[in-house]
Amino acid sequence: MRQVHLAVLLGFAAFATALPSPSTTHYNHRSTKDAKVLILGGGVAGVIAARTLHRKGIDDFLIVEARDELGGRMQNYTFGVPGKQYTIELGPNWIQGTQTGSGPTNPILTLARKHHVKNEYNDLYGNITTYDYNGLKDYQNIFDTSIDQFTQIVVDAGERVKLQQVDLGLQSAYGIASATPKNIYEAVCQYYQIDWECKFAPDQNSWIASAWNNNFTFDVDMGGFSDENNLCIDQRGFKTIIQAEAAEFLQPEQVSLNSVVTTIAYSGDGVTVTLENSTTLTADYVLCTFSLGVLQHGDIAFKPDLPSWKTEAIQSMVMATYTKIFLQFEENFWFDTEMAIYADKERGRYPVWQSLDHVKFFPGSGLVFVTVTGDFSLRIEGMEDSDVQEEVMEVLRAMYPNITVPDPVAFHFKRWNADPLFRGSYSNWPPSFLPGHAENLRATVDKSLWFAGEATSLKYYGFLHGAYFEGLNAAKEIAKCVEGPACTGREHLNSVVDASPYPFVSITP
Ligand SMILES: Cc1cc2nc3c(=O)[nH]c(=O)nc-3n(C[C@H](O)[C@H](O)[C@H](O)COP(=O)(O)OP(=O)(O)OC[C@H]3O[C@@H](n4cnc5c(N)ncnc54)[C@H](O)[C@@H]3O)c2cc1C
Ligand SMILES: *[C@@H]1O[C@H](CO)[C@@H](O)[C@H](O)[C@H]1NC(C)=O
Ligand SMILES: *[C@@H]1O[C@H](CO)[C@@H](O)[C@H](O)[C@H]1NC(C)=O
Ligand SMILES: *[C@@H]1O[C@H](CO)[C@@H](O)[C@H](O)[C@H]1NC(C)=O
Ligand SMILES: *[C@@H]1O[C@H](CO)[C@@H](O)[C@H](O)[C@H]1NC(C)=O
Ligand SMILES: *[C@@H]1O[C@H](CO)[C@@H](O)[C@H](O)[C@H]1NC(C)=O
């Protein structure tokens, strides 16, 4: 294998010298560099970028990953009392948008099929039980109305685009559609459509971008896959799709695990990446796939500092937090639908429940989980597990006033925002994030520093398939650079300007 590797290298050397020299030629320094391309991060974007380079005959790359395995946010956990343990997913769980007939396939579904990773259709909208703080409460009609309202808002967004009207927040969209929630039932149903499904509160979601994000994945007429969500229940973990895929092409010397990046130095002439233990790695190109949260938090030192257009783009997208809290009980005493919602007096307080002890998932498991998001996630990340458990149990006991709800036998949740390798769960497009920002988030700096990951996806930000397509596309463009001098990288705008500046700027008071 080493020989193939070398042959590929030599092949490119010959190719490069046969061409007229570009102004800053990298090829002269080849022998002194550790790799042609460093791929920082071994999540979906990083692994698919590596596969893309490999398929283009470029094997001189190195994946640098802080954790001890590939997969990134795809993380499972062995949960439950001895003898009754299950592999559950702390991160992504659904293949969102599958395939309609022989139409376009979500590439995540393609990987799941290829590696026989078990997944089941999860009826998120038609199989739900509704509760409030006094127990069972039927507001199914409100739930159904909230689905229609969201559909209408997505259609209205299309009208705004046609009429070239400015973007607004989803909060405004609900107001304009006379659909602003007026009681706790309408509020929890809206929460389910927006905060839970779109990741963040309505005032932090762009109306147009979230409509597109929805359409491009779920609406077949807009090139989407399907409106279905499949829950992964494979006991090897959902990450198997990416680990098994990597095993097919990745050589041991092409990946460096347990390697935490601290500094990325870049110039028109290449890059030097420094690890926590002071080891340095050099290359012609670096593809950074770290989560937006990591970039926003300043965990990586860039040398020189990133240009202001890049910093603005990074700081203008929002990193959301989505927390799944798992419980196991001796036996199932809850709803027999797949989903349930709970309307609390406080919006966002333990609102969305999913039964895993269900005939389609893990029957007999005694497993159920509840999801919280946004500020509520941050709030519970700061609390002790036992205090969170107590709050969750208070809610469950309110949902079931007529039975004696026992304490759970197991309890677990992951603190995604506190994790320095992620600092949140996935990105969200706020109304103040403009298309120019999106372009700048993906743009190359000094031809050598590239970015990819779920957050750089215009169509599928937040999703696994967003990370997949971004890794694929960035690597295709990097490959063009590796193969020849006709490489400009991805363009950026020096500043994102308002097409219609505020008139009072020029008005004297
Ligand atoms: C709780 C949760 C639920 C989700 N649910 C779904 C879902 O159901 N369906 C769906 O499609 N998507 C879902 N997502 C989103 C999905 O997980 C992401 O879109 C996708 O995994 C992102 O892949 P990535 O390659 O862009 O980034 P990552 O997976 O974050 O990969 C980046 C890698 O960089 C590494 N890294 C970070 N810092 C450093 C450093 N300093 N040095 C070295 N390595 C570093 C990280 O360890 C990581 O492996 C969910 C995410 C979360 C957290
Ligand atoms: C993830 O699942 C695999 C396969 O069941 C298991 O070996 C591994 O320990 C799990 N990871 C964690 C952190 O529990
Ligand atoms: C929910 O789905 C189950 C099968 O998974 C079915 O038996 C049940 O009738 C459905 N309930 C509702 C309310 O649709
Ligand atoms: C609980 O029991 C009371 C009295 O029997 C009954 O009125 C009420 O509907 C029950 N509540 C639920 C949620 O089952
Ligand atoms: C989303 O899809 C709907 C239905 O196909 C369409 O009417 C609407 O214009 C689309 N929205 C956007 C923002 O493109
Ligand atoms: C530093 O970490 C890298 C990558 O994990 C490893 O290859 C190298 O041997 C380490 N160097 C030292 C000095 O520990």
Side-chain angles (χ1 to χ4, degrees):
M1 207 54 224
R2 199 71 220 178
Q3 269 158 341
V4 173
H5 193 59
L6 209 65
V8 169
L9 261 174
L10 293 172
F12 286 129
F15 180 54
T17 46
L19 288 164
S21 270
S23 52
T24 53
T25 167
H26 301 147
Y27 303 102
N28 305 335
H29 312 297
R30 164 171 306 99
S31 55
T32 64
K33 289 185 180 169
D34 294 301
K36 210 133 225 1
V37 187
L38 290 176
I39 299 172
L40 307 185
V44 172
V47 170
I48 296 304
R51 191 190 68 180
T52 306
L53 291 178
H54 169 75
R55 287 184 177 173
K56 292 201 167 283
I58 299 166
D59 277 298
D60 189 17
F61 61 78
L62 179 69
I63 298 180
V64 183
E65 167 56 50
R67 297 179 65 243
D68 60 3
E69 64 171 0
L70 297 172
R73 280 168 250 184
M74 305 194 86
Q75 295 183 19
N76 65 272
Y77 182 76
T78 306
F79 182 68
V81 291
K84 230 178 151 183
Q85 293 191 320
Y86 294 83
T87 296
I88 53 158
E89 301 296 332
L90 301 178
N93 217 152
W94 289 275
I95 299 167
Q96 305 199 261
T98 52
Q99 184 181 25
T100 304
S102 56
T105 318
N106 183 328
I108 301 302
L109 178 67
T110 305
L111 288 174
R113 284 176 177 157
K114 179 176 172 189
H115 300 293
H116 309 288
V117 170
K118 198 172 170 201
N119 59 91
E120 277 292 340
Y121 169 64
N122 188 182
D123 189 354
L124 301 181
Y125 299 98
N127 206 271
I128 193 158
T129 311
T130 54
Y131 294 86
D132 72 5
Y133 49 83
N134 287 321
L136 202 60
K137 167 91 181 175
D138 185 1
Y139 49 95
Q140 188 73 48
N141 57 334
I142 296 179
F143 183 76
D144 293 340
T145 301
S146 76
I147 297 174
D148 296 342
Q149 285 170 340
F150 184 70
T151 305
Q152 188 57 48
I153 277 166
V154 167
V155 170
D156 293 347
E159 286 307 305
R160 288 195 85 72
V161 172
K162 273 194 210 123
L163 298 171
Q164 295 187 294
Q165 289 174 309
V166 293
D167 197 6
L168 294 169
L170 276 179
Q171 178 115 314
S172 310
Y174 274 88
I176 291 168
S178 306
T180 302
K182 296 199 171 52
N183 55 52
I184 62 168
Y185 308 111
E186 292 178 2
V188 74
C189 292
Q190 185 205 44
Y191 180 98
Y192 193 87
Q193 302 296 323
I194 307 303
D195 305 60
W196 185 69
E197 185 55 37
C198 293
K199 311 124 207 182
F200 231 145
D203 59 337
Q204 286 153 321
N205 259 297
S206 148
W207 183 354
I208 292 172
S210 48
W212 268 329
N213 190 248
N214 174 81
N215 279 2
F216 293 136
T217 289
F218 297 115
D219 187 338
V220 177
D221 293 336
M222 296 282 289
F225 310 113
S226 79
D227 58 5
E228 297 188 343
N229 293 278
N230 283 12
L231 190 80
C232 176
I233 52 171
D234 197 291
Q235 289 301 289
R236 296 167 294 169
F238 196 3
K239 70 186 179 201
T240 302
I241 62 163
I242 210 74
Q243 292 185 351
E245 188 67 8
E248 287 190 353
F249 72 89
L250 203 62
Q251 301 303 315
E253 70 272 17
Q254 289 173 318
V255 54
S256 181
L257 297 174
N258 305 304
S259 305
V260 179
V261 172
T262 56
T263 306
I264 302 174
Y266 62 95
S267 74
D269 204 30
V271 295
T272 303
V273 168
T274 308
L275 306 183
E276 212 172 36
N277 71 3
S278 301
T279 295
T280 57
L281 298 165
T282 54
D284 288 342
Y285 304 99
V286 63
L287 175 61
C288 178
T289 74
F290 298 156
S291 102
L292 179 76
V294 167
L295 297 176
Q296 287 182 339
H297 198 262
D299 296 308
I300 310 296
F302 286 92
K303 287 183 182 168
D305 286 346
L306 290 174
S308 56
W309 57 264
K310 177 62 85 174
T311 304
E312 179 177 322
I314 289 170
Q315 298 297 347
S316 303
M317 190 87 169
V318 180
M319 194 66 180
T321 304
Y322 186 97
T323 315
K324 300 193 286 186
I325 307 164
F326 293 89
L327 299 104
Q328 187 179 47
F329 292 91
E330 292 279 7
E331 57 187 36
N332 184 334
F333 58 83
W334 51 89
F335 49 93
D336 53 19
T337 48
E338 295 175 37
M339 310 300 295
I341 41 174
Y342 162 72
D344 193 273
K345 288 174 188 164
E346 180 189 339
R347 190 180 186 281
R349 189 164 182 268
Y350 307 108
V352 179
W353 293 75
Q354 172 151 14
S355 180
L356 291 173
D357 189 344
H358 186 277
V359 62
K360 284 162 66 175
F361 310 125
F362 307 134
S365 63
L367 295 182
V368 63
F369 71 99
V370 56
T371 301
V372 298
T373 60
D375 290 343
F376 205 92
S377 287
L378 300 191
R379 178 180 158 268
I380 68 162
E381 282 200 13
M383 291 165 56
E384 297 290 337
D385 276 20
S386 55
D387 293 335
V388 177
Q389 180 177 319
E390 209 167 286
E391 285 192 359
V392 171
M393 292 312 297
E394 216 174 88
V395 165
L396 259 183
R397 288 177 178 132
M399 288 164 72
Y400 295 98
N402 290 355
I403 62 170
T404 307
V405 176
D407 279 332
V409 292
F411 180 87
H412 185 77
F413 72 96
K414 177 172 166 74
R415 292 168 172 81
W416 284 100
N417 190 69
D419 189 328
L421 298 177
F422 302 97
R423 304 224 183 260
S425 54
Y426 42 106
S427 67
N428 194 64
W429 186 310
S432 55
F433 190 75
L434 301 176
H437 290 132
E439 206 175 311
N440 284 353
L441 195 58
R442 319 169 83 219
T444 318
V445 184
D446 271 2
K447 296 185 184 172
S448 57
L449 173 56
W450 294 67
F451 292 86
E454 56 82 9
T456 64
S457 173
L458 277 95
K459 292 169 89 172
Y460 315 110
Y461 61 87
F463 293 118
L464 285 165
H465 49 282
Y468 180 102
F469 285 121
E470 288 304 289
L472 183 79
N473 293 332
K476 276 187 186 166
E477 291 184 50
I478 293 171
K480 283 188 214 152
C481 292
V482 173
E483 285 161 359
C487 161
T488 51
R490 283 174 171 161
E491 300 295 334
H492 69 268
L493 303 168
N494 277 319
S495 62
V496 179
V497 295
D498 192 336
S500 53
Y502 298 93
F504 54 76
V505 171
S506 56
I507 295 172
T508 43

